[in-house]
């Protein structure tokens, strides 16, 4: 079987769904972050696959995009961990459903 | 020398670096704030010079545009940033030696917001969006209290998920068209039937990503929590600057790249439904709030719904940019009004030591100026003349009617009636109820200045809306074809 753009898009779709489910269903802030990372990697697969298979005026743009995505994802992860540490200092927990000071 | 067009952003970045460096030698909040304001002023002067000196055009191979639209938002964002920096004066004292970082992060967030109004390429849009978001995540958690950390965590988690969704949409738009430049996408989509599955998926996901920044339903869950927990000046910035940038980039992307037959009808209908949901959920949610910052949070969701009415109407009639100019006028009027309200809340809550609406009882007797300004701004948010908010609602609902969406305008007006209940409820508490104590509430002149400017602006554009309408029409004309 030839592996074409459909297979890659299907893979990225499955990964994205897994990541989104993890991000929405997990209660630990760190696990939510892991879900977001999976989503971002699904995005990267889609970009690289489109860049390889699509005829357009800008075939390299997809690969360039991935470099930026990776960088920004690293920055977001660092910030997320810093805030998680700050939260943990205050409460000894990073379970998101125990962090409920803010309510009506 | 097209790089000159990058000048305002560059001025802000240089100022941000200088603020941090100078803080090493002179750790004074006065110095940090003055340098920050200087940077904002330099960027504003540069922006005006570009506007009046014929500096329109593009930079970096067409990635960054300087046109009437980006200039309009640049002036707005810079004014908001300056006002919020001034209003942070009292809050800066409580930040224990981290004033410079606060000011620098504000400037970087403003840089991202400025870029967001001008960039013309998906990659640049993503970078600009993150450049304005990441500093705001930090700012939301800046007080290091439990509540502030919680606000930062929630904002960051929702933000990270929504930027992944946005990226996924961008990947599909790229897959559908083979390019990341907005005019290129429009060209590729209109060359053949643009309404392919990939383009529709891309459009919906991109709308979801921007929806987070605009704080519309169903991406509004973070708003009340973050507004309540973040330092109040940061909430003020989020509700005005961040929202304005979100609508700027949404207008640019949807009206430049995705305004193709079929696809345009899809997103116009989608935004119309989301507008109704945002207005209704925002207004009904606000009715039960006892905390003024949460109330303003729900109110900002409802106002985002009003703005979406303009976005939905933006494509209804071809070649007509009434919807787009309605969004621009509304954003500007809302900026003055909501900033006025937030700065009054900053000043009142700082002295009262509470954000509870009950604590505002008799504020009229304790500080007539603050109470009158807050009441006036709340009246403007309701949409009662003679305020800027009245014209904003009239303009945007008129755009909906002209675009054939009469039902949308009717729902919008009904929602304004609901909103009167909670806006005027706060006014009632301030003016009708007796104060708990008689001690006067003082107001520092640094915070008073932006307060007066916002209030005067709300009144002035309420009495003479003509010049602002002309500017908005001028800016929206870049989307006419």
């Amino acid at each position: 079987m030839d592996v074409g753009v459909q297979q890659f898009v299907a893979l990225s779709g499955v990964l994205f769904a897994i990541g989104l489910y993890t991000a929405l269903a997990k209660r630990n802030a760190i696990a939510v972050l892991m879900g977001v990372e999976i989503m971002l990697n699904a995005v990267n697969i889609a970009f690289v696959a489109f860049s390889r298979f699509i005829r357009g005026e800008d075939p390299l743009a997809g690969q360039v995009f991935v470099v930026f995505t990776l960088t920004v994802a690293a920055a977001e992860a660092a910030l997320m961990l810093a805030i998680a540490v700050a939260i943990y200092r205050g409460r000894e927990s990073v379970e998101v459903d125990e962090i409920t000071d803010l309510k009506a | 020398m097209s790089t000159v067009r990058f000048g305002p952003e560059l001025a802000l970045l240089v100022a941000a670096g200088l603020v941090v460096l100078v803080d090493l030698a002179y750790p004074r909040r006065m110095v940090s704030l003055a340098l920050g304001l200087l940077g904002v002023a330099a960027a504003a002067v540069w922006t005006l010079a570009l506007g009046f000196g014929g500096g329109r055009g593009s930079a970096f191979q067409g990635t960054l545009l300087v046109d009437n639209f980006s200039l309009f938002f640049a002036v707005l964002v810079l004014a908001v940033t300056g006002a919020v920096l001034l209003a942070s004066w009292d809050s800066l004292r409580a930040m224990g030696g981290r004033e410079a970082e606060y000011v620098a992060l504000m400037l970087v967030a403003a840089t991202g917001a400025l870029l967001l109004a001008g960039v013309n390429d998906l990659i640049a849009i993503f970078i600009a969006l993150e450049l304005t978001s990441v500093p705001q995540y930090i700012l939301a958690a800046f007080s290091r209290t439990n509540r502030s950390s919680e606000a930062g965590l929630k904002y960051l988690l929702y933000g990270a998920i929504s930027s992944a969704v946005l990226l996924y949409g961008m990947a599909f738009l790229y897959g559908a068209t083979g390019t990341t430049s907005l005019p290129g996408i429009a060209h590729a989509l209109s060359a053949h039937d643009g309404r392919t599955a990939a383009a529709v998926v891309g459009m919906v996901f991109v709308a979801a990503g921007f929806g987070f920044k605009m704080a519309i339903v169903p991406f509004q869950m973070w708003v009340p929590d973050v507004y309540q927990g973040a330092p109040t000046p940061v909430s003020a910035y989020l509700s005005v600057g961040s929202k304005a940038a979100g609508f700027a980039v949404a207008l640019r992307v949807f009206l430049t790249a995705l305004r193709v037959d079929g696809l345009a009808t899809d997103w116009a209908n989608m935004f119309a439904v989301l507008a109704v949901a945002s207005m209704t959920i925002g207004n009904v949610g606000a009715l039960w709030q006892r905390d003024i910052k949460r109330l303003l949070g729900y109110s900002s969701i409802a106002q985002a719904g009003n703005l979406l009415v303009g976005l939905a109407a933006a494509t209804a009639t071809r070649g007509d940019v009434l919807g787009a100019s309605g969004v621009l006028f509304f954003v500007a009027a809302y900026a003055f009004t909501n900033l006025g309200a937030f700065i009054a809340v900053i000043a009142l809550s700082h002295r009262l030591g509470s954000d509870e609406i009950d604590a505002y009882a008799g504020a009229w007797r304790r500080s007539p100026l603050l109470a009158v300004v807050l009441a006036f701004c709340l009246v403007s948010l309701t949409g009662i003349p003679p305020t800027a908010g009245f014209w904003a609602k009239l303009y945007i609902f008129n755009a909906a009617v002209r675009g054939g969406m009469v039902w949308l305008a009717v729902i919008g007006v009904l929602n304004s009636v609901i909103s009167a209940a909670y806006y005027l409820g706060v006014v009632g508490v301030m003016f009708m109820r007796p104060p708990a104590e008689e001690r006067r509430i003082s107001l520092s002149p640094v915070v008073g200045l932006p307060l007066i400017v916002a209030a005067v602006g709300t009144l002035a554009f309420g009495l003479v809306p003509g010049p602002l309408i002309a500017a908005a029409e001028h800016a929206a004309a870049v989307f006419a074809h």
Side-chain angles (χ1 to χ4, degrees), chain B residues 48-56:
Chain B
L48 293 176
L50 286 176
F52 291 109
R56 289 171 185 77

Side-chain angles (χ1 to χ4, degrees), chain A residues 13 58-59 76 91 99 101-102, chain B residues 130 146 150 168 174 178 225:
Chain A
D58 228 351
E76 266 184 358
R91 320 166 188 257
I99 306 173
D101 276 359
L102 298 174
Chain B
E130 293 297 319
N146 274 355
E150 179 180 341
Y168 204 54
Y174 172 66
D225 287 353

